Amino acid sequence: MKSLIRFSVFMLLAVFAAAAEFSVVQGGQARMTAVSPTNLNAPMAFRDGAAVLSDHKAIYWANALPKGDAWSVRIRMAIADVEKSAASFHVGTSLFGFEGGSGKMFCEGSLFEPAKATLTARRAPQAVLDGKAFELVAEKKDGTLTVSIDEETICSVPMQEKAEQGIGLRPWRSTMKVYAFAIRAEGFGDYAKAFADKLALQNIAKNFPVVDLSVDKTKDVIIAEGQPNLYQGHPTTVVTADGRVIAVWCTPHGGWCGPAAESSDGGKTWTRIDDRFPAEFKRHVNCPSIYRLIAPNGKARLWVWSQVKMIPEATSSYDRRQLGAPMPSVMSEDEGQTWTEMPSLGANFRCVMAFSSIVRLKNGSYLGMFHRGPEGADRAPLEVLQSVTADGGYTWSEPQVVCRVEGKNPCEPYVFRSPNGDELCCLMRENTHKGCSLMMFSHDEGTTWSQAEDTPWALSGDRHQGVQLPDGREVIVFRDTAPSSPTAGHFVGWVGPYDAIHSKAVTGTYRIKLLHSYAGGDCGYPGIHLLPDGTILATTYIKYWNDTRKQSVVSVRFRIDETDQRVGH
């Protein structure tokens, strides 16, 4: 056994010469976080040179999360009383283990699924069943995870996931004696901190105040009803100089532009205005974004940008991205009564979605923000870019990348100005959805930005948009993606002072569940306006009915004094 261990260690050192090692169990110390539904501090004893794991409901996680494309785990251990129970080795949400009663192996989770038939058909190694010491080695290399016991390969499975994965052991009703447990990797995250942070977020989620308006259907107005064969999606809205609200959207998901509607009574009723737009607008694709920009001479124009203008030979999403005209637009000089096709912004503006938000700068220019992946594709790694127009939307500066985050995918930026006017805040969807959303700040009109950081838990969501109340508070609406949120996947709003975004304070803030989604998280992409009478009009797409009808474009009208009263503000 000693020569075997020396050989295994030598091989791992040769493969991971540049890697660092984290000792989970060594020298009378076990650096593990035991997680159990009934006991968050499951017992860990240390005797006879081994860490003894015995809580049958707990998974004992190593306090190190291996980073990088290559890593290895080496565990020398023995399992007592396995004939009465089972024992398992965990990688993230997947596991494989030993069933003592049958003497066979078992597995759960997507990682080990390709090897399930082989694993469950074979008998567990005899050393495991006899309660003798054995060495388990798990090595990730070249996109494959290989697990062996005493140099015998148990399984090899594809593992392309680059995100940090927890490594853990579960004794079930056996007793695990762990003599050595080491992880080698290019770097490490801190599982103990990650778990503590997760518990903190769960506590916030459990106690955060929520006003549920979704049950009051009298506040809702259907702009475009989905049908079993018709998906209405991704609306944005704008208010004209005379108070009309114009909504534009696409069909189906990420599909063709062209649908539009107008309301002259604050969103109570709507009239379709598709025929005002040029025929070429129907060749524009994906998430039309509408804005009202004022040129240096004071002339206001409405603009609708979209991802790309399709050409006849673009028959696939790849061709759309490569052959289509990036970020085309239509423009109106008469507050939306008539529209004109405008030139594409060009190859440098290839994107996943056209300007997610635009904010006016102090000098009268406008800063627009959007996101993209490699070659403009909707795939990782995503990055956020910005561009500035000084002539009211006709021409835009060379896009500049302003946010990249290792291991995360910032996208769909919402940029807005602080109440005192001195700061820009940018909230961003984080597309791995493994934590909170992201935010960054600028004190020089977008010339530089702070390093991206997590948003408060309650602002974690997709496709933020907001308005500022007369008292300085913000109302920001989005698709809820907050960890452990009771309203996850639904259309919600956050209400709170601007300073609470910086400080991540809970006091003085609350959430509103605006609409219930019957299709999980496939909703959001909103427009929001504070109307002159104090009504807030929020418009989104959502599967509104629990039947065969697909997503609809829906507005919800509410007043902040009502929701304040319900939370005792």
Side-chain angles (χ1 to χ4, degrees), residues 20-22 64-67 164 183-190:
E21 183 167 282
F22 183 95
L65 295 163
K67 291 183 177 181
E164 299 170 3
I183 304 175
R184 292 188 65 80
E186 299 168 20
F188 297 101
D190 188 338

Side-chain angles (χ1 to χ4, degrees), residues 17-94:
E21 183 167 282
F22 183 95
S23 295
V24 183
V25 176
Q26 185 184 49
Q29 183 181 18
R31 293 189 285 182
M32 306 173 105
T33 297
V35 181
S36 165
T38 58
N39 185 358
L40 295 178
N41 294 290
M44 278 184 287
F46 210 101
R47 58 178 178 267
D48 300 327
V52 181
L53 317 181
S54 58
D55 188 309
H56 69 281
K57 293 184 177 181
I59 303 174
Y60 294 79
W61 295 99
N63 282 355
L65 295 163
K67 291 183 177 181
D69 295 326
W71 49 260
S72 69
V73 176
R74 177 178 60 85
I75 305 173
R76 184 169 178 260
M77 61 185 297
I79 306 174
D81 304 320
V82 71
E83 71 277 3
K84 301 176 182 177
S85 181
S88 53
F89 170 73
H90 294 242
V91 181
T93 57
S94 298

Side-chain angles (χ1 to χ4, degrees), residues 194-433:
F195 181 67
D197 291 346
K198 181 179 179 180
L199 285 182
L201 293 178
Q202 288 176 346
N203 186 58
I204 293 173
K206 182 179 179 180
N207 297 291
F208 202 88
V210 180
V211 175
D212 189 355
L213 298 184
S214 67
V215 295
D216 185 358
K217 302 302 182 184
T218 65
K219 299 182 182 298
D220 306 341
V221 179
I222 308 301
I223 300 175
E225 181 179 330
Q227 300 297 327
N229 61 348
L230 179 59
Y231 179 113
Q232 314 265 17
H234 308 113
T236 57
T237 57
V238 73
V239 176
T240 63
D242 59 358
R244 288 173 292 117
V245 185
I246 296 177
V248 293
W249 64 96
C250 58
T251 60
H253 187 283
W256 304 99
C257 300
E262 177 182 271
S263 175
S264 299
D265 55 10
K268 296 176 184 176
T269 60
W270 293 82
T271 302
R272 292 294 290 264
I273 57 171
D274 305 30
D275 57 0
R276 293 185 189 174
F277 291 82
E280 289 293 290
F281 186 46
K282 294 182 179 179
R283 286 173 53 194
H284 296 201
V285 173
N286 193 30
C287 301
S289 300
I290 188 168
Y291 299 97
R292 185 174 186 269
L293 306 185
I294 302 173
N297 64 2
K299 174 64 177 177
R301 296 178 178 87
L302 303 186
W303 294 83
V304 182
W305 283 277
S306 52
Q307 179 196 23
V308 69
K309 182 179 180 179
M310 292 280 275
I311 58 178
E313 56 265 44
T315 57
S316 69
S317 60
Y318 177 82
D319 288 341
R320 172 197 299 178
R321 189 171 67 250
Q322 298 298 321
L323 302 178
M327 218 181 283
S329 64
V330 293
M331 182 269 289
S332 173
E333 297 194 295
D334 54 11
E335 298 291 337
Q337 299 297 338
T338 61
W339 293 84
T340 303
E341 172 90 1
M342 301 300 289
S344 159
L345 292 185
N348 292 335
F349 286 81
R350 290 200 184 279
C351 61
V352 176
M353 176 184 170
F355 299 120
S356 298
S357 58
I358 295 177
V359 66
R360 195 172 194 181
L361 302 179
K362 291 180 178 179
N363 65 3
S365 299
Y366 289 88
L367 182 150
M369 304 189 83
F370 63 99
H371 78 278
R372 67 184 176 206
E375 299 179 337
D378 189 8
R379 58 182 172 87
L382 299 177
E383 59 188 16
V384 170
L385 302 93
Q386 70 179 30
S387 177
V388 174
T389 178
D391 57 11
Y394 283 94
T395 62
W396 291 81
S397 65
E398 181 79 10
Q400 302 294 319
V401 176
V402 293
C403 186
R404 290 190 185 106
V405 182
E406 180 70 27
K408 296 190 176 185
N409 286 309
C411 58
E412 295 174 0
Y414 164 51
V415 59
F416 63 103
R417 191 171 293 279
S418 63
N420 66 10
D422 292 337
E423 182 177 73
L424 298 179
C425 173
C426 179
L427 304 177
M428 294 168 285
R429 169 177 177 166
E430 200 293 286
N431 213 37
T432 69
H433 291 140

Side-chain angles (χ1 to χ4, degrees), residues 1 77-80 126-135 150 179:
M1 176 62 75
M77 61 185 297
I79 306 174
Q126 196 60 43
V128 176
L129 299 176
D130 291 345
K132 296 179 179 179
F134 63 91
E135 185 176 68
D150 289 346
Y179 302 100

